[in-house]
Amino acid sequence: MIELRDITKVYKLGEIDLPVLKGISLCINDGEFVSLTGASGSGKSTLMNILGCLDHPTAGEFIIDGKDVAGLNANERALLRNRRIGFVFQNFNLLPRTSALENVMMPASYAHPAPSTAQTHERAVALLELVGLSDRLHHTPAQLSGGQQQRVAIARSLINNPGILLADEPTGNLDSTTSVEVLNMFKQLNRQQGITVILVTHDPKIAAFTDRAINMADGLITEGISSELHPIDA
């Protein structure tokens, strides 16, 4: 379970304090498929960074698996990220001169303890097969479509067996048909493998694909709703 208790985040701009998160309390259960939505400036990107252990709150409690991680230092947050959290980004963030297979294998080198190269290779091949790219193992990003690049990014996010998948605007650079395919993939990972998926988006139509949409405005959660507007094939 992920639990936030009265989380605040204040940035200092010279002598000025800029409050971005103003007391966020939220629970996300293991195995949920939720979206975090809101307009630019709502605070969702800041909250995403905290959920992903990329940043720490100014105050409040941030609980993962019963442990308060709000006070962890940068190295401790990095270890937790690598062990528990996978990331998928809008711009894919693939290494341009590196094959799909090597892109997927890359995060495993930061695991503690690191698996053998043979183990990592075997898992990367299996993950690329899972996302439908078994015939694209040795293609570079330039040789792949946008949807295929995002599938590589999803496979890469799973290489270290995370329990939490955090996707930041994952369909922002994709056409509508490919967006549906990618969203279906997240749904299948959630349903079939029990991965907790948190999808960050500004688009309520994308949020409607998830089981619960959590809306933010002005650094606060304004609502959390269940949505069945667009059923997805399991």
Side-chain angles (χ1 to χ4, degrees), residues 55-122:
D55 199 358
H56 59 89
T58 301
E61 295 178 285
F62 173 28
I63 311 295
I64 295 181
D65 300 335
K67 179 180 179 181
D68 186 4
V69 301
L72 297 182
N73 62 37
N75 288 336
E76 291 168 330
R77 290 198 306 273
L79 287 172
L80 179 61
R81 277 199 309 274
N82 192 264
R83 181 173 57 87
R84 292 285 288 131
I85 303 170
F87 293 90
V88 180
F89 300 98
Q90 177 178 346
N91 294 323
F92 319 135
N93 290 0
L94 301 177
L95 298 175
R97 298 183 181 87
T98 303
S99 70
L101 181 62
E102 291 167 324
N103 266 287
V104 173
M105 291 176 65
M106 185 266 296
S109 62
Y110 299 102
H112 297 277
S116 69
T117 301
Q119 290 173 320
T120 301
H121 184 278
E122 181 179 3

Side-chain angles (χ1 to χ4, degrees), residues 13-78:
L13 303 176
E15 296 182 357
I16 299 174
D17 288 344
L18 178 64
V20 178
L21 301 181
K22 304 171 183 178
I24 300 290
S25 294
L26 170 68
C27 286
I28 300 174
N29 292 317
D30 287 344
E32 276 203 272
F33 182 30
V34 305
S35 54
L36 182 63
T37 186
S40 178
S42 63
K44 69 179 186 300
S45 294
T46 300
L47 182 56
M48 178 201 72
N49 287 338
I50 290 173
L51 288 169
C53 296
L54 297 168
D55 199 358
H56 59 89
T58 301
E61 295 178 285
F62 173 28
I63 311 295
I64 295 181
D65 300 335
K67 179 180 179 181
D68 186 4
V69 301
L72 297 182
N73 62 37
N75 288 336
E76 291 168 330
R77 290 198 306 273

Side-chain angles (χ1 to χ4, degrees), residues 90-192:
Q90 177 178 346
N91 294 323
F92 319 135
N93 290 0
L94 301 177
L95 298 175
R97 298 183 181 87
T98 303
S99 70
L101 181 62
E102 291 167 324
N103 266 287
V104 173
M105 291 176 65
M106 185 266 296
S109 62
Y110 299 102
H112 297 277
S116 69
T117 301
Q119 290 173 320
T120 301
H121 184 278
E122 181 179 3
R123 176 159 174 77
V125 170
L127 288 171
L128 285 166
E129 290 175 350
L130 178 69
V131 300
L133 293 177
S134 59
D135 59 342
R136 297 288 189 272
L137 300 182
H138 303 293
H139 287 60
T140 64
Q143 297 171 311
L144 301 171
S145 69
Q148 289 171 333
Q149 289 183 62
Q150 193 60 293
R151 287 170 180 262
V152 174
I154 292 170
R156 179 187 58 189
S157 75
L158 299 173
I159 191 68
N160 289 333
N161 293 295
I164 301 165
L165 191 59
L166 188 59
D168 182 17
E169 300 282 3
T171 62
N173 287 332
L174 305 176
D175 61 56
S176 58
T177 300
T178 308
S179 294
V180 171
E181 293 174 357
V182 169
L183 290 168
N184 274 316
M185 187 166 296
F186 285 124
K187 190 75 166 184
Q188 290 165 3
L189 289 169
N190 170 257
R191 294 293 192 260
Q192 297 175 9

